[in-house]
Amino acid sequence: MRKVLVVEDESSIRELIALNLRMAGWEVLEAESAERGLQRLAAEGPCAAAVLDVMLPGMNGFSLCETIRRDDDNIGIIILSAKGLEEDKIRGLSIGADDYMTKPFSVSELLARIEALCRRVNRSRPQSADEGESRLVSGQFVLDQKSRILYKSGRPIDLTQVEFQIMELFFQNPGTALVREKILEGVWGPSYYGDVKIVDVNIRRLRMKIEDAPSSPEHILTVWGYGYRWNA
Ligand code: CA
């Protein structure tokens, strides 16, 4: 069964989310704190997705997100915040969240985003070796689609699902300038409601992982006012 972790201290909101998820066929692990959420995840996980409130008693949602992401590159994480601050959004995405919603939010939209996130994760993970090519090669880089690991000159680099899919897009379009909207659509899907800044945040994170000097990148090049270009 598909499992989702919901961490929210406000019981009325948590129960509303959980109820709607259960009606949509999800098994829900509810937690009123980050600490309890981590306990449940360890005992009853793994989960396909996690919905994390930012303002929690004890450990906050950002630290929780970082902690979960450290152990699990595959889980789809959505941050819920009362603040609509751009800094909060960027912060959430840069520490490993895949999506971000501001309260008050529509539960049906939250459900749609969780579904989109999990479809993406499933779509990008081939079930068997027969499903197409399993290794993409570009210069010194090898993208292993079975293990979901990127190798740079033989050295493995762990990527999140989103980072992996951006790399797939680059490898399939070498030397081509990709407009940010195209990257957004290619990775997040055509029905994604978010804005293109999420692309920039993920690119920044990817550069930290694959570039020798992330501030003067040699592989993921910026095409000013447009998007990004892969140069192996
Ligand atoms: Ca809260």
Side-chain angles (χ1 to χ4, degrees):
M1 195 184 211
R2 303 182 306 163
K3 264 187 219 176
V4 58
L5 174 70
V6 177
V7 183
E8 163 65 87
D9 57 321
E10 243 169 282
S11 57
S12 59
I13 299 178
R14 187 181 66 243
E15 282 159 16
L16 180 70
I17 297 171
L19 176 72
N20 279 275
L21 279 164
R22 287 191 181 108
M23 288 194 309
W26 288 86
E27 180 179 346
V28 184
L29 307 185
E30 288 185 56
E32 69 291 343
S33 70
E35 291 79 0
R36 179 77 186 123
L38 287 172
Q39 272 175 8
R40 292 206 69 176
L41 197 58
E44 300 161 75
C47 286
V51 179
L52 312 178
D53 183 33
V54 171
M55 300 293 282
L56 294 165
M59 180 193 266
N60 69 27
F62 289 131
S63 304
L64 176 59
C65 174
E66 266 182 307
T67 306
I68 293 176
R69 182 56 83 207
R70 245 194 321 264
D71 292 336
D72 189 343
D73 280 337
N74 296 325
I75 188 169
I77 302 179
I78 299 181
I79 295 259
L80 290 183
S81 170
K83 302 173 200 159
L85 296 174
E86 199 63 19
E87 303 93 87
D88 257 18
K89 179 174 175 174
I90 299 296
R91 178 163 175 220
L93 297 173
S94 62
I95 57 170
D98 297 289
D99 206 345
Y100 185 100
M101 287 188 83
T102 304
K103 291 179 184 172
F105 56 88
S106 123
V107 176
S108 59
E109 190 183 336
L110 174 64
L111 249 63
R113 291 201 190 189
I114 294 171
E115 294 285 356
L117 208 59
C118 294
R119 255 201 312 280
R120 205 163 70 212
V121 168
N122 289 330
R123 187 185 67 205
S124 62
R125 201 178 295 145
Q127 296 303 308
S128 73
D130 311 333
E131 279 184 50
E133 188 54 55
S134 68
R135 282 164 88 86
L136 294 171
V137 181
S138 184
Q140 62 182 310
F141 294 91
V142 176
L143 202 54
D144 188 326
Q145 294 174 303
K146 270 172 78 187
S147 65
R148 317 278 310 161
I149 294 172
L150 173 71
Y151 295 88
K152 179 183 182 184
S153 304
R155 181 174 61 88
I157 299 173
D158 281 331
L159 302 178
T160 67
Q161 292 297 331
V162 165
E163 291 163 357
F164 190 89
Q165 282 182 269
I166 293 176
M167 291 305 293
E168 275 181 331
L169 210 58
F170 278 143
F171 276 39
Q172 287 155 0
N173 299 278
T176 309
L178 296 176
V179 67
R180 289 145 90 225
E181 285 78 3
K182 182 178 164 147
I183 299 175
L184 192 70
E185 189 179 322
V187 175
W188 283 268
S191 56
Y192 185 73
Y193 318 82
D195 68 72
V196 293
K197 285 203 182 68
I198 194 171
V199 174
D200 302 328
V201 172
N202 276 281
I203 293 289
R204 202 178 311 150
R205 210 154 59 188
L206 266 172
R207 281 176 172 158
M208 301 291 289
K209 292 185 177 181
I210 70 165
E211 298 282 358
D212 292 335
S215 53
S216 46
E218 292 171 7
H219 302 296
I220 302 177
L221 307 178
T222 298
V223 182
W224 292 108
Y226 190 76
Y228 300 96
R229 183 164 59 84
W230 174 249
N231 175 43

